[in-house]
Amino acid sequence: MISAAPPIRIEDPSDSRIAAFLSIKERDLTGRQGRFIAEGTVVLRMLAAAHRSGRGITAEAILLLENRLAGVAELLAQFPADVPVFMADARVFDAIAGFNMHRGVLALGRSDAMPARDALIAALPAASLVLAACGISNHDNMGSLFRNAAAFGVDAMLMDASSCDPLYRKSIRVSVGSALTLPFAREGTAAELIERLRAAGFAIWGLSPRGETDITEIPPSPRTALLVGAEGEGLPPPILSAVRTARIRQRPALDSLNVAMAAGIALYQVASANGRI
Amino acid sequence: MISAAPPIRIEDPSDSRIAAFLSIKERDLTGRQGRFIAEGTVVLRMLAAAHRSGRGITAEAILLLENRLAGVAELLAQFPADVPVFMADARVFDAIAGFNMHRGVLALGRSDAMPARDALIAALPAASLVLAACGISNHDNMGSLFRNAAAFGVDAMLMDASSCDPLYRKSIRVSVGSALTLPFAREGTAAELIERLRAAGFAIWGLSPRGETDITEIPPSPRTALLVGAEGEGLPPPILSAVRTARIRQRPALDSLNVAMAAGIALYQVASANGRI
């Protein structure tokens, strides 16, 4: 049975047991050394789910403002007892975390046991929806992509190595924790990604304002991958010429949709067409 | 013929002619005194369009980093000659604007001649699509709502007085300038807004995760208003019981979609169903 560790009170911000939480805003932990920071109760709940799923995301430690303890007791019980829970009063907490945007609920996680891209693709179910992305450099957009992907039943999110880290603090927050629960890999080039997805039987559709097919006309397919490109430029021409392309109708003479917005609309259509939502 | 004013060089950050641009980040001009700040060339282009349209948004002054001048000459020509153009070198520019996120292109605008809500509703075309919003407190979401509304051909955006100002600097930027070109009003209560829209013959659909009608089943109507509520809580129960409600299918047991995302998907559907895009 799962039961939380009894909370350990921290009196000294320099206590070595909470060293990893020090000044998280300044350091903005980004999965470097396979570590990330999760903030707030909603994300903590997703971290618990990710930890239990055994897919490579684990919780290392939890740090709470003491007055939040009672409110999250049920949530703490979802973590195994070997995940230490620290608590501190407001003065000590702010001295540790260095800012007050965390609402008193922080967790430190590890992601270093996640499956690599090819293993992840190999493990996808026969009927799958994948969101692939290349060159996504904005953490808000990355978080929004995950949030939308989760809402519309995406099985895995696959990014090229030039995309930013979904486990950056802000990206996790914007994803409402979906960056922790939705399987993903971030490695290699977009060209390799397309090749691997094609070998695995995926119909690959690149989203572009100049796409050939209206998104409502994308035919159902047991395995569909939507591919989106960087904010601003979109998908590079060599990639667009290597896949089928789809467009979202909109008023002309305006900037194209935000990438997460475009992905959300297209995922909604494709997930609907495939009876996944 | 429209032609830009010859640029005036500013050598002293305390020059009274550019006082309104001083330390814009700290002050974060929000349409107080009917004034707003527009940043970057894309937004400047939208400001020029808004100014020319004569619908109540005007440009007061433009401030450029001197090395941006040549690149925006064609754009400056879209403003009348009575809009002064100031330029400064990097040292003076940063001393004026107080930060370096503006990419060297700033404009000061006024919005105090915009039509009031009822006048705006009265002037809507016979076939109209309106996005109505209540309790939107986040400037990113407000900007995204405008961006999506513009993309899908919304004729006017109507907000209750509790929503935040779309002419806040960040909101304008996130809207990619659509907050300047899309007619809007922000006044009164959501209940009044519903009453006025109904009196004007609008079919009003409130978006909610528990909505009765799937968004794909919203019937075409010459006049449709989509209504969205605050992040987090969504539309309040008295409002939901006063309108027809629609839902977006998604995976269960997840946080609902971001409000701008939900509005974008619903607008895409309704604009498609009504042949507007």
Side-chain angles (χ1 to χ4, degrees):
Chain A
M1 178 185 148
I2 285 171
S3 66
I8 299 160
R9 178 176 292 279
I10 300 293
E11 309 271 8
D12 176 3
S14 65
D15 189 316
S16 64
R17 292 172 295 180
I18 48 80
F21 288 100
L22 278 176
S23 303
I24 58 167
K25 187 171 185 185
E26 284 67 32
R27 297 194 298 124
D28 255 334
L29 221 54
T30 62
R32 277 176 289 132
Q33 307 117 10
R35 273 186 164 145
F36 60 85
I37 285 283
E39 306 166 278
T41 51
V42 176
V43 174
L44 192 64
R45 191 175 301 280
M46 298 294 262
L47 177 59
H51 187 107
R52 291 196 308 272
S53 77
R55 286 194 298 222
I57 294 267
T58 52
E60 277 207 316
I62 296 167
L63 174 62
L64 302 169
L65 193 60
E66 63 181 348
N67 68 13
R68 299 299 309 270
L69 198 57
V72 297
E74 167 267 333
L75 181 47
L76 292 179
Q78 298 177 26
F79 288 89
D82 63 351
V83 177
V85 177
F86 302 106
M87 64 173 182
D89 64 22
R91 185 188 57 81
V92 174
F93 197 104
D94 284 348
I96 296 167
F99 73 120
N100 63 0
M101 291 169 66
H102 40 63
R103 299 179 189 171
V105 175
L106 289 172
L108 185 71
R110 292 194 80 94
S111 61
D112 48 7
M114 292 173 68
R117 180 193 63 202
D118 294 349
L120 186 54
I121 293 175
L124 285 169
S128 292
L129 178 58
V130 160
L131 180 59
C134 68
I136 306 295
S137 59
N138 176 295
H139 289 101
D140 281 273
N141 284 338
M142 184 58 84
S144 295
L145 285 167
F146 271 87
R147 182 174 179 178
N148 296 339
F152 299 127
V154 161
D155 295 290
M157 176 101 178
L158 300 172
M159 291 144 283
D160 70 342
S162 81
S163 293
C164 64
D165 188 346
L167 299 183
Y168 181 89
R169 191 172 59 84
K170 192 173 186 194
S171 168
I172 296 175
R173 192 176 68 222
V174 172
S175 82
V176 204
S178 293
L180 304 179
T181 53
L182 183 61
F184 76 85
R186 180 172 68 107
E187 62 180 273
T189 65
E192 283 167 14
L193 192 48
I194 290 171
E195 182 208 310
R196 298 298 199 287
L197 286 169
R198 189 165 283 148
F202 278 84
I204 308 169
W205 292 89
L207 273 187
S208 164
R210 290 165 300 285
E212 289 182 4
T213 303
D214 190 285
I215 50 161
T216 58
E217 309 289 329
I218 294 177
S221 163
R223 297 194 134 186
T224 302
L226 272 176
L227 174 64
V228 295
E231 303 85 20
E233 304 99 71
L235 290 166
I239 295 298
L240 282 175
S241 62
V243 298
R244 276 176 285 183
T245 57
R247 66 179 182 280
I248 298 171
R249 268 169 291 121
Q250 67 160 90
R251 286 289 166 108
L254 283 169
D255 220 55
S256 64
L257 295 165
N258 164 275
V259 61
M261 184 67 214
I265 291 180
L267 287 171
Y268 173 77
Q269 289 293 334
V270 171
S272 293
N274 285 287
R276 299 176 63 90
I277 52 171
Chain B
M1 179 186 147
I2 285 171
S3 67
I8 300 160
R9 178 175 291 281
I10 300 293
E11 309 272 7
D12 176 1
S14 65
D15 190 317
S16 64
R17 293 172 295 180
I18 49 78
F21 287 100
L22 278 175
S23 304
I24 60 167
K25 187 170 186 188
E26 284 66 32
R27 297 193 300 124
D28 255 332
L29 222 55
T30 62
R32 277 176 289 132
Q33 307 118 8
R35 273 186 164 145
F36 61 85
I37 285 282
E39 305 167 278
T41 52
V42 177
V43 173
L44 192 65
R45 192 176 302 280
M46 298 295 262
L47 176 58
H51 188 106
R52 291 195 308 271
S53 77
R55 287 193 299 222
I57 294 267
T58 53
E60 278 208 315
I62 296 167
L63 174 63
L64 302 169
L65 194 59
E66 62 182 349
N67 67 13
R68 299 301 306 272
L69 199 59
V72 298
E74 168 267 332
L75 180 46
L76 291 179
Q78 297 178 26
F79 289 89
D82 63 351
V83 177
V85 177
F86 302 106
M87 65 172 180
D89 63 22
R91 185 189 58 81
V92 173
F93 196 104
D94 283 348
I96 297 168
F99 72 121
N100 63 0
M101 293 167 66
H102 40 64
R103 298 177 189 174
V105 175
L106 288 174
L108 186 69
R110 292 193 80 95
S111 61
D112 47 8
M114 292 174 68
R117 180 193 63 202
D118 294 350
L120 186 54
I121 293 175
L124 285 169
S128 292
L129 177 58
V130 160
L131 180 59
C134 66
I136 306 296
S137 60
N138 177 294
H139 289 101
D140 283 271
N141 285 337
M142 184 58 84
S144 295
L145 285 168
F146 271 88
R147 183 174 180 179
N148 296 339
F152 299 127
V154 161
D155 296 290
M157 175 102 177
L158 301 171
M159 292 144 282
D160 71 342
S162 82
S163 291
C164 64
D165 188 346
L167 298 183
Y168 182 89
R169 190 172 58 83
K170 192 173 185 193
S171 168
I172 295 175
R173 192 176 66 222
V174 172
S175 82
V176 204
S178 293
L180 304 179
T181 53
L182 183 60
F184 77 85
R186 180 173 66 108
E187 61 179 274
T189 64
E192 283 166 13
L193 192 48
I194 289 170
E195 184 208 310
R196 299 296 200 287
L197 286 168
R198 189 165 283 148
F202 277 84
I204 308 170
W205 292 88
L207 273 186
S208 165
R210 290 165 300 286
E212 290 183 3
T213 304
D214 190 285
I215 52 160
T216 58
E217 308 290 328
I218 294 177
S221 162
R223 297 193 134 187
T224 301
L226 272 176
L227 175 63
V228 295
E231 303 85 19
E233 303 100 68
L235 291 166
I239 296 298
L240 283 174
S241 63
V243 298
R244 278 176 284 184
T245 57
R247 67 178 181 281
I248 298 171
R249 268 167 292 120
Q250 67 160 92
R251 287 288 166 109
L254 282 170
D255 220 56
S256 62
L257 294 165
N258 165 276
V259 61
M261 184 68 216
I265 291 179
L267 286 171
Y268 173 77
Q269 288 294 334
V270 171
S272 294
N274 284 286
R276 299 176 63 89
I277 53 171

